[in-house]
Amino acid sequence: MDLLEYQGKQLFARHDIPVPDGRPARTVDEAVAAAKEIGFPCVVKAQVKIGGRGKAGGIKLANNEDEAREHADAILGMDIRGFTVHEVWVEGASEIAAEYYASIIFDRSAKQPLIMLSTSGGMDIEAVAEEDPGAIATLHIDPLLGFQDFHGRRLAFEAGVDADLVRPIGAFLHRLYGTFVSEEAMLVEVNPLIVTPDRQVRALDAKVTLDDNALMRHPDNAELRDPSAEDAQEQMAKERGLTYVSLDGDIGILGNGAGLVMSTLDVVAQYGGKPANFLDAGGGSKAEAITSAVEVILANPNVKAVLFNIFGGITRGDEVANGLVEAFNQITPTVPFVVRLDGTNDEEGRRILAEARLPNVHIAATMNEAAQKVVELAR
């Protein structure tokens, strides 16, 4: 679950990470009241879960009440790369002597948190990594050992941090790591991490991604979820207990088991197709789950064809077939379906589909055959 900037800063503050004083606002009047309370100059910042706000005009400096009102009125309702601004964050303006970059991300390949530190803050870190990889110091942290003082010193020296900031930066990273672990985050990023003229370090921005699977242990964080800001299909799937991820293709994919679905995505791509989603209906999928899956997949207007790839272990082929028949009785799909059934009761499932004579449903015997067919139908 991604947090808005101000939500991340509020989380940081709970862990004694220095952040500028600020207030959230959903209306122009609330923003002006927040600005007057904080004092001028202040900054009015759009709150959307996407980067590039400054370039889009979503971050403005206000020197007085009139400017605060003008900027809040312009930013609220603004569209930033497909995201509508419903909230702004008004915070006191900061004096900046230097900008650094700091982040902690869970590295799945190493199965350890990875800390990154750079003196090239305020920039797109991907561009920094491409143009000057040596500008970013990185270090994996053993979860059993945790973050130690020498980790901070090593990162600071490798990143080229000024000598008088080595200890303050180390202390900042120590708190950031504590936040990462305590809140069960997948990512905490500060860009920029600013150095003030009096040599204090402060998080001027906050990008936080929390582990959805851990929210049951963090009810306060769970309340921060904003369903309206999530992908519509992903939200629909979540409500129905399905594992779903939106992609940018035009071929809907359903399978039972994450491994099978990932293999299906690869095979479809191998035949030149572009998957529109990842959808795992789970082992033991019943007719009701199949019906829900069809509705979720077809809610995406970009889908031109759908591939059902079912391997029957716990899942039964006849249950899947009944689910398709039931789904087609409830909705009228306008795109072709390719169904591959194998394993438990697969012959019975194919018999059910044949007798139902569902319109525009094609049966395939193998995964390769199914992938090739669905790619042809999507063209």
Side-chain angles (χ1 to χ4, degrees), residues 233 236-237 242 244 251-255 276-279 290-303 305-308 335 337:
Q233 277 75 48
M236 183 190 301
L242 301 170
Y244 180 95
I251 296 176
I253 304 291
L254 179 142
N277 65 273
F278 169 107
L279 195 154
I290 298 299
T291 302
S292 294
V294 171
E295 292 175 342
V296 170
I297 290 174
L298 295 182
N300 182 351
N302 295 324
V303 170
V306 179
L307 170 57
F308 271 46
V335 300
F337 279 65

Side-chain angles (χ1 to χ4, degrees), residues 195-208:
V195 180
T196 64
D198 60 355
R199 310 306 281 172
Q200 301 296 311
V201 295
R202 185 179 301 169
L204 195 61
D205 197 6
K207 182 177 181 181
V208 177

Side-chain angles (χ1 to χ4, degrees), residues 43-48 51-61 70-81 85 88:
V43 183
V44 183
K45 308 176 76 174
Q47 296 300 288
V48 287
R53 294 174 299 166
K55 294 179 181 178
I59 300 177
K60 295 291 186 180
L61 178 69
E70 177 186 347
H71 296 330
D73 185 57
I75 293 173
L76 285 167
M78 176 185 290
D79 181 275
I80 299 179
R81 296 171 61 187
V85 180
V88 295

Side-chain angles (χ1 to χ4, degrees), residues 62-129:
N63 292 297
N64 52 55
E65 182 178 337
D66 289 340
E67 290 185 2
R69 183 176 297 277
E70 177 186 347
H71 296 330
D73 185 57
I75 293 173
L76 285 167
M78 176 185 290
D79 181 275
I80 299 179
R81 296 171 61 187
F83 289 79
T84 302
V85 180
H86 299 293
E87 241 176 325
V88 295
W89 175 247
V90 183
E91 71 178 19
S94 298
E95 294 186 48
I96 303 173
E99 295 184 349
Y100 292 173
Y101 171 92
S103 71
I104 305 174
I105 188 170
F106 184 74
D107 186 341
R108 294 181 184 276
S109 60
K111 300 180 181 179
Q112 293 180 332
L114 173 66
I115 301 184
M116 291 180 277
L117 179 67
S118 175
T119 55
S120 300
M123 299 174 58
D124 184 346
I125 198 63
E126 287 80 7
V128 174

